[in-house]
């Protein structure tokens, strides 16, 4: 089940306590339908649960019987989509009148009480909304039937602190939010508190994972530094060996030079432990600096010879 489906399932199980809120929810559901006023189709969904939920709400709140038409997949024969419609023209007209669906703008009748806008948005989200899996990205959207309706709902959301953005898509308009805090606020507001907690949980895990990744990047950077240093040391030792042999180095430095040539991948600490007798890390570092100085001395001599 997708995260979006989980949120909707939670919302379908929510008990609506007040009559005014049930009407506000139904109002949102009908208002955002693209074609209810023309052909009676309210929406189409893959979820039997949402289709049934709407049918019950229509019956209980408005006394209207809806039809749920099942479309089967041509190949598999499985149930694919459920199309929800009010077939009876008389009933459809009654609903249109009662909810003022032909009026321009939002009807204050269903939204004036403080408790109702949340239900209105819950209805819209259930039928025309979706949320992306928060493990991937933060994105919640509502598909509005027109630019005008998108604007109206944008303003209503603003009063509740939801800062929608609007964009155009395939003959419709989308209201969306991309900030995780905004999504959390919206889900809590419309009553999906469990889903909000789940989203916050996912967010924490994501942030921790990022932290771990950053730490690993840091270690990689250190590793790169070690590799670069070793490369320079090996170049110095190889140069000395080529010019005049490792006997050029004194007895303290020679075993370390040999070890480094044989083990270019080892850290200073590992080199220190391999020496006989073992040395401290800083001791190794000090001797490697002396080897570098020896190599530089030889390079400088060569330069002088060439002059
Ligand atoms: Zn209410």
């Amino acid at each position: 089940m997708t995260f979006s489906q989980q949120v909707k399932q939670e919302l379908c199980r929510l008990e609506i306590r007040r009559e005014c809120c049930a009407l506000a929810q139904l109002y949102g559901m009908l208002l955002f339908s693209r074609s209810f006023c023309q052909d009676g189709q309210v929406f189409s969904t893959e979820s039997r649960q949402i289709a049934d939920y709407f049918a019950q709400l229509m019956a209980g709140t408005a006394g209207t019987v809806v039809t749920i038409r099942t479309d089967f997949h041509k190949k598999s024969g499985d149930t694919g989509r459920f199309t929800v419609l009010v077939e009876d023209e008389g009933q459809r007209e009654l609903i249109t009148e009662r909810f003022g669906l032909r009026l321009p703008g939002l009807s204050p009748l269903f939204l004036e009480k403080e408790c109702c806008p949340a239900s209105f948005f819950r209805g819209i989200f259930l039928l025309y909304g979706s949320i992306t899996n928060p493990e991937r990205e933060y994105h919640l959207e509502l598909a509005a039937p027109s630019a005008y309706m998108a604007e109206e709902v944008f303003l209503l959301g603003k009063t509740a602190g939801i800062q929608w953005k609007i964009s155009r898509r395939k003959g419709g308009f989308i209201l969306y939010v991309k900030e995780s805090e905004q999504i959390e606020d919206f889900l809590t507001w419309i009553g999906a508190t469990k889903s909000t907690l789940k989203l916050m949980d996912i967010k924490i895990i994501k942030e921790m994972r990022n932290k771990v990744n950053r730490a690993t990047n840091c270690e990689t950077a250190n590793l790169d530094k070690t590799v670069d240093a070793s490369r320079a040391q090996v170049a110095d030792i190889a140069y000395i060996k080529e010019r005049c042999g490792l006997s050029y180095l004194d007895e303290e430095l020679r075993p370390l030079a040999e070890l480094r040539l044989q083990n270019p991948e080892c850290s200073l600490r590992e080199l220190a432990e391999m020496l006989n007798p073992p040395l401290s890390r800083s001791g190794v570092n000090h001797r490697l600096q002396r080897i570098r100085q020896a190599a530089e001395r030889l390079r400088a001599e060569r330069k002088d010879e060439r002059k």
Side-chain angles (χ1 to χ4, degrees):
M1 203 190 289
T2 65
F3 189 74
S4 208
Q5 286 165 339
Q6 286 173 40
V7 174
K8 290 183 183 187
Q9 193 174 66
E10 185 185 358
L11 292 175
C12 281
R13 287 176 180 157
L14 207 70
E15 188 196 343
I16 309 173
R17 292 204 180 85
R18 300 179 192 203
E19 168 92 16
C20 60
C21 292
L23 283 169
Q25 181 168 321
L26 202 49
Y27 177 53
M29 289 169 147
L30 293 165
L31 194 68
F32 261 48
S33 166
R34 277 165 188 257
S35 60
F36 176 72
C37 293
Q38 287 95 55
D39 59 16
Q41 179 179 322
V42 186
F43 65 104
S44 146
T45 176
E46 284 179 2
S47 161
R48 177 86 219 187
Q49 187 188 24
I50 292 175
D52 287 343
Y53 176 84
F54 178 80
Q56 279 170 19
L57 193 68
M58 277 289 263
T61 309
T64 307
V65 177
V66 303
T67 306
I68 299 174
R69 198 182 285 153
T70 312
D71 301 315
F72 292 92
H73 277 301
K74 276 179 192 141
K75 278 185 190 160
S76 63
D78 292 340
T79 50
R81 292 195 78 79
F82 303 97
T83 302
V84 182
L85 61 160
V86 177
E87 282 181 308
D88 185 88
E89 220 170 304
Q91 291 247 19
R92 198 187 305 162
E93 197 48 44
L94 276 175
I95 290 285
T96 304
E97 280 297 312
R98 181 172 178 194
F99 285 94
L101 298 179
R102 286 203 189 91
L103 298 174
L106 300 180
S107 163
L109 204 63
F110 302 99
L111 296 167
E112 60 190 358
K113 285 193 191 165
E114 215 180 307
C115 54
C116 293
S119 295
F120 173 77
F121 273 103
R122 187 190 309 125
I124 293 173
F125 179 78
L126 264 170
L127 303 196
Y128 315 101
S130 69
I131 175 168
T132 307
N133 179 359
E135 292 193 30
R136 251 178 46 222
E137 70 169 322
Y138 301 118
H139 180 97
L140 184 147
E141 66 175 44
L142 308 173
S146 66
Y148 183 71
M149 204 47 82
E151 288 285 343
E152 291 282 297
V153 167
F154 167 85
L155 292 173
L156 183 66
K158 218 171 170 183
T159 61
I162 308 293
Q163 191 65 51
W164 295 104
K165 292 188 183 69
I166 301 179
S167 81
R168 209 192 169 111
R169 188 196 291 167
K170 281 192 279 184
F173 291 84
I174 304 287
L175 293 137
Y176 68 93
V177 281
K178 280 196 158 302
E179 296 76 22
S180 61
E181 287 83 6
Q182 287 268 294
I183 295 174
E184 285 162 21
D185 288 350
F186 180 75
L187 290 181
T188 307
W189 189 46
I190 64 173
T193 46
K194 270 188 209 148
S195 299
T196 310
L197 289 176
K198 183 137 193 238
L199 190 143
M200 290 165 97
D201 211 44
I202 291 171
K203 197 166 123 182
I204 290 167
I205 292 169
K206 254 170 99 172
E207 276 169 12
M208 275 179 56
R209 214 179 280 149
N210 285 343
K211 229 182 234 171
V212 169
N213 283 346
R214 271 200 299 277
T216 311
N217 283 344
C218 195
E219 275 166 21
T220 310
N222 276 337
L223 199 69
D224 286 344
K225 257 188 230 163
T226 311
V227 168
D228 285 346
S230 169
R231 243 181 236 142
Q233 290 153 11
V234 169
D236 285 342
I237 297 164
Y239 182 73
I240 295 168
K241 197 176 174 184
E242 192 209 337
R243 278 292 308 278
C244 36
L246 289 183
S247 55
Y248 178 73
L249 298 169
D250 66 35
E251 278 165 16
E252 261 191 336
L253 301 183
R254 211 179 303 137
L256 177 60
E258 271 161 357
L259 263 183
R260 179 41 108 196
L261 271 187
Q262 287 153 17
N263 306 284
E265 78 289 351
C266 284
S267 67
L268 296 192
R269 191 171 300 284
E270 286 166 325
L271 287 178
E273 282 163 8
M274 283 153 96
L275 280 169
N276 185 21
L279 207 64
S280 69
R281 185 187 173 280
S282 67
V284 167
N285 193 32
H286 182 70
R287 288 185 186 184
L288 284 169
Q289 277 173 25
R290 279 171 58 204
I291 293 175
R292 197 188 68 214
Q293 284 158 6
E296 277 169 4
R297 234 177 5 249
L298 284 174
R299 286 192 187 104
E301 277 171 21
R302 165 143 301 178
K303 261 188 195 164
D304 286 340
E305 282 166 17
R306 280 181 184 159
K307 273 178 192 167

